[in-house]
Amino acid sequence: NVSVEQMCDRALLAANSIKGQYGKYCAAYDDQLRSRLLREQAITDGMEVALAEGQFEVYLQPKYRIKDDRLAGAEALVRWNHPEWGMQSPAYFIPLFEKNGFITKLDQYVWDRACAVLREWEDKGYPPLSVSVNVSRADIYNADIADILLNTIRRHRLPPSRLHLEITESAYTENPAQIIHTIGRLRELGFVIEMDDFGSGYSSLNMLKEAPVDQIKLDMRFLSEPDPYGRAETILQMVIAMGKALSIPVLAEGVETKGQVEMLKSYSCCLAQGYYYARPLTVEKFEEMMDKQTGLSGS
């Protein structure tokens, strides 16, 4: 038997599970919801310990110059190597961390690890490649973000230009004035700003008009989505041309086939990343890749 209090708790949990989802007016508490909530609770209970114990690992996905297939940098991605659950994809825990606020701590950890790797490369005599790191929406609202990033790169004796900051367009949607101010300040300090997920929301053009960005990231999954009027490739071509007209290089992410690479090359797209080139790699594997390429130059 379930008590009235438990019934009310479960009804509330079911209601919360569809909060903000327009068009959904009812929800039921079932075993699936219960197991998801228990899993989320386990993640929340373990996140601080995981950070303290170094369970979060930074992987690097290579970026390439399309014109000559040369390594041009990397994007830092985080994986959770849990002692019981094994390797966890960020798709599993990042949305929860964005919801509970832990994302700001995790981001700062990734920034620090990325800078530590850049410092090691510098000491080993590797070419001065840059690494992109994610700046979450929650980070944008942190008044100390510029100081935190500046202290991080200074601690590792690096110029700010080596750390590229990926800011998603959805952050602009929520608070345009804040993001314009923050981006302006970070660029003044010498950080390179990348606009992530260009075109995935409704404010991409406004953000491009008002916020000074150094690079546009365009997701190639755009091409694989339903395209009843056959316009996707034309739109892609126009975005690349627009970037060129604004002197903002475009990086295509999620590149998976040689055909896509040839198409991007024909449109004079500058940079690409994706499984066609390489999956996210451990730092060691990334260094092996750098060893294989001689005469590298950063983008």
Side-chain angles (χ1 to χ4, degrees):
N1 287 345
V2 179
S3 69
V4 174
E5 287 85 356
Q6 275 184 301
M7 285 181 188
C8 290
D9 286 345
R10 290 180 178 186
L12 189 61
L13 289 169
N16 285 338
S17 73
I18 59 165
K19 199 173 181 181
Q21 293 184 43
Y22 301 106
K24 277 197 175 181
Y25 305 108
C26 59
Y29 182 90
D30 55 19
D31 287 343
Q32 194 179 0
L33 178 59
R34 181 176 180 273
S35 62
R36 196 190 86 205
L37 293 168
L38 287 172
R39 184 74 163 178
E40 286 185 0
Q41 191 57 54
I43 289 172
T44 304
D45 291 345
M47 61 193 187
E48 293 281 1
V49 172
L51 191 64
E53 292 182 356
Q55 292 174 21
F56 293 108
E57 296 179 9
V58 171
Y59 275 54
L60 299 171
Q61 184 160 31
K63 297 179 182 181
Y64 283 82
R65 280 203 309 253
I66 294 175
K67 65 178 180 183
D68 56 9
D69 280 349
R70 304 302 284 175
L71 198 55
E75 178 183 359
L77 303 165
V78 68
R79 301 285 185 268
W80 186 351
N81 194 355
H82 194 280
E84 291 172 42
W85 310 331
M87 197 64 81
Q88 301 293 301
S89 160
Y92 196 75
F93 57 85
I94 293 292
L96 184 59
F97 291 169
E98 285 175 336
K99 208 159 58 176
N100 66 24
F102 185 70
I103 193 69
T104 54
K105 280 189 182 181
L106 183 60
D107 281 347
Q108 288 174 31
Y109 172 81
V110 172
W111 301 342
D112 187 72
R113 294 309 310 139
C115 285
V117 167
L118 285 168
R119 182 69 253 162
E120 278 180 33
W121 290 351
E122 197 82 1
D123 294 342
K124 288 176 180 176
Y126 282 118
L129 295 181
S130 60
V131 171
S132 304
V133 294
N134 190 56
V135 175
S136 302
R137 278 174 290 189
D139 299 319
I140 297 291
Y141 304 124
N142 185 343
D144 301 324
I145 182 175
D147 291 332
I148 292 166
L149 281 161
L150 211 50
N151 288 337
T152 304
I153 58 114
R154 281 175 178 165
R155 193 162 60 248
H156 295 284
R157 308 189 315 284
L158 294 164
S161 58
R162 295 291 296 282
L163 199 65
H164 290 201
L165 308 177
E166 290 193 12
I167 296 174
T168 180
E169 174 248 357
S170 57
Y172 175 91
T173 314
E174 287 180 7
N175 195 334
Q178 180 72 45
I179 202 167
I180 291 165
H181 171 77
T182 303
I183 287 176
R185 172 91 177 101
L186 292 169
R187 282 188 90 232
E188 276 173 22
L189 294 170
F191 291 100
V192 174
I193 307 295
E194 297 179 2
M195 183 177 173
D196 198 15
D197 291 334
F198 180 84
S200 64
Y202 300 103
S203 302
S204 296
L205 292 175
N206 270 335
M207 181 171 166
L208 204 54
K209 177 166 70 86
E210 297 181 1
V213 299
D214 300 290
Q215 192 178 104
I216 297 168
K217 292 191 78 176
L218 185 64
D219 197 330
M220 292 296 283
R221 278 177 301 194
F222 178 70
L223 289 177
S224 61
E225 290 167 0
D227 182 21
Y229 302 108
R231 294 171 178 172
E233 193 175 323
T234 303
I235 292 169
L236 184 83
Q237 184 182 2
M238 291 299 106
V239 170
I240 294 165
M242 180 177 64
K244 192 180 289 187
L246 296 170
S247 301
I248 303 173
V250 173
L251 181 144
E253 59 179 333
V255 176
E256 295 186 348
T257 66
K258 183 161 181 62
Q260 287 179 341
V261 173
E262 293 305 322
M263 180 183 68
L264 291 166
K265 196 177 282 186
S266 72
Y267 298 150
S268 303
C269 186
C270 301
L271 301 160
Q273 71 181 75
Y275 286 2
Y276 172 77
Y277 291 102
R279 290 174 178 268
L281 305 167
T282 62
V283 173
E284 292 72 28
K285 290 286 183 192
F286 191 92
E287 287 183 6
E288 285 175 22
M289 184 177 278
M290 285 199 289
D291 288 335
K292 282 178 190 169
Q293 284 206 26
T294 53
L296 291 173
S297 63
S299 61

